[in-house]
Amino acid sequence: MNNIKPDLSICIPTYNRATPLDRLVTRLQASIKKLNIDPASIELLISNNASTDETQKYLNGLNCDYIKVFNQSNNAGANWNIEFCYANARGRYVWVIGDDDLPEPGLLGAVIESIKSFSPGVIYIAPDYSADLSKINASNYNGCHNVKVMARSDFSYYVGHLLSFVSSLVVNAETPNRNAVLDFLSKYSDSYIPSLIYTLPVIIGSSRFVCINNPKIHVTIGQTSSYPAKHTFGIKFPEILRDIARDHPDICRSLISSETTRHL
């Protein structure tokens, strides 16, 4: 593999979802080809968490310079797989996408343009839970981009609990405290919200952020994965905030105020 550091690592943690994985990889490859992206500037990292379906067979059939596949020998859980992807990504920016989610046509281009134009700490992509993923294709994409640049407090308030949704977050991985991020990921391996853990330190260390409200990331309705919501958002979410952002009450206030407002 080329030793040049990619601008963007797109990471897909996967388990027993060969069909939606194929749909996602096909969409990404089509976008990369359409944008005429230099293969050295992008990495597609796929971590197969010991799937028992046709996933490994599908992955073995991929032959592309910018695709890197890890076939894990044991299923260590979804949390671990996301952490593995983040830790092994080589890109300046890291975008972890759920294997059953799907970027709208044009979204990869908007992400790359945002990186080049603004060098943000974090890019947030608005999710869409309403669409039928089978009908999301290039022919019904309207091509309209809605991209906003935000300061830290506005961004934290705007995004709120969706810092826990991996597919919506593209993170600058060249943070000076990357080792601390990896330590926090290990410490909170039972949190079910690893994206909050690797995103918060970047928010603390950055001043400029981007929100992409269109194109969107489409989310599978009725996902098969599950987690204890009360434990995750009632216990772990505030615990992580207190630990990682304890010296940054402005961020804590923005996130907490955002959640309070959403539930009024």
Side-chain angles (χ1 to χ4, degrees):
M1 178 171 283
N2 198 312
N3 289 325
I4 298 174
K5 193 168 189 177
D7 292 328
L8 176 64
S9 289
I10 303 173
C11 303
I12 308 173
T14 189
Y15 176 71
N16 278 2
R17 286 180 178 155
T19 298
L21 176 64
D22 179 21
R23 178 182 62 199
L24 173 57
V25 172
T26 299
R27 167 62 51 79
L28 291 170
Q29 288 187 295
S31 297
I32 290 168
K33 182 178 180 180
K34 182 176 181 179
L35 293 166
N36 196 27
I37 298 172
D38 181 355
S41 70
I42 199 161
E43 172 185 55
L44 181 52
L45 185 157
I46 305 171
S47 177
N48 173 24
N49 209 6
S51 295
T52 57
D53 64 352
E54 298 294 308
T55 296
Q56 185 164 342
K57 181 180 178 180
Y58 166 72
L59 293 174
N60 289 342
L62 294 176
N63 183 19
C64 185
D65 289 342
Y66 57 77
I67 294 180
K68 186 173 185 178
V69 174
F70 292 90
N71 286 304
Q72 310 297 345
S73 58
N74 299 296
N75 185 337
N79 232 45
W80 180 91
N81 208 18
I82 294 172
E83 294 165 11
F84 178 89
C85 286
Y86 180 86
N88 286 275
R90 298 170 51 245
R92 293 174 47 240
Y93 283 79
V94 176
W95 182 12
V96 180
I97 305 180
D99 57 4
D100 58 350
D101 296 331
L102 189 67
E104 193 170 61
L107 179 54
L108 179 58
V111 168
I112 291 174
E113 182 59 33
S114 295
I115 290 172
K116 290 180 178 178
S117 299
F118 307 114
S119 298
V122 181
I123 299 171
Y124 166 75
I125 302 160
D128 186 344
Y129 300 92
S130 63
D132 180 351
L133 269 64
S134 67
K135 297 179 181 178
I136 304 300
N137 53 55
S139 64
N140 58 28
Y141 168 56
N142 63 21
C144 179
H145 287 191
N146 182 339
V147 178
K148 295 181 179 179
V149 180
M150 290 186 169
R152 188 170 67 181
S153 59
D154 293 334
F155 179 82
S156 299
Y157 181 84
Y158 184 79
V159 177
H161 77 289
L162 286 173
L163 287 177
S164 65
F165 180 47
V166 290
S167 299
S168 279
L169 300 165
V170 184
V171 179
N172 187 339
E174 293 190 318
T175 174
N177 56 352
R178 182 174 173 82
N179 288 334
V181 172
L182 297 176
D183 288 341
F184 278 124
L185 283 170
S186 177
K187 179 178 180 180
Y188 291 106
S189 60
D190 64 340
S191 70
Y192 293 92
I193 42 177
S195 60
L196 174 67
I197 298 166
Y198 63 67
T199 303
L200 263 180
V202 182
I203 292 176
I204 290 169
S206 306
S207 59
R208 183 162 49 185
F209 305 87
V210 166
C211 289
I212 300 177
N213 294 308
N214 195 60
K216 293 178 168 54
I217 181 83
H218 291 280
V219 183
T220 300
I221 298 173
Q223 298 182 59
T224 57
S225 60
S226 61
Y227 59 86
K230 184 176 180 180
H231 168 83
T232 301
F233 292 102
I235 298 174
K236 287 300 177 181
F237 192 94
E239 182 181 336
I240 291 167
L241 280 183
R242 286 193 299 268
D243 193 356
I244 299 179
R246 60 182 176 272
D247 296 327
H248 301 273
D250 58 321
I251 295 177
C252 293
R253 280 195 299 268
S254 294
L255 289 170
I256 293 170
S257 296
S258 173
E259 286 312 287
T260 302
T261 302
R262 288 176 203 269
H263 291 94
L264 286 177

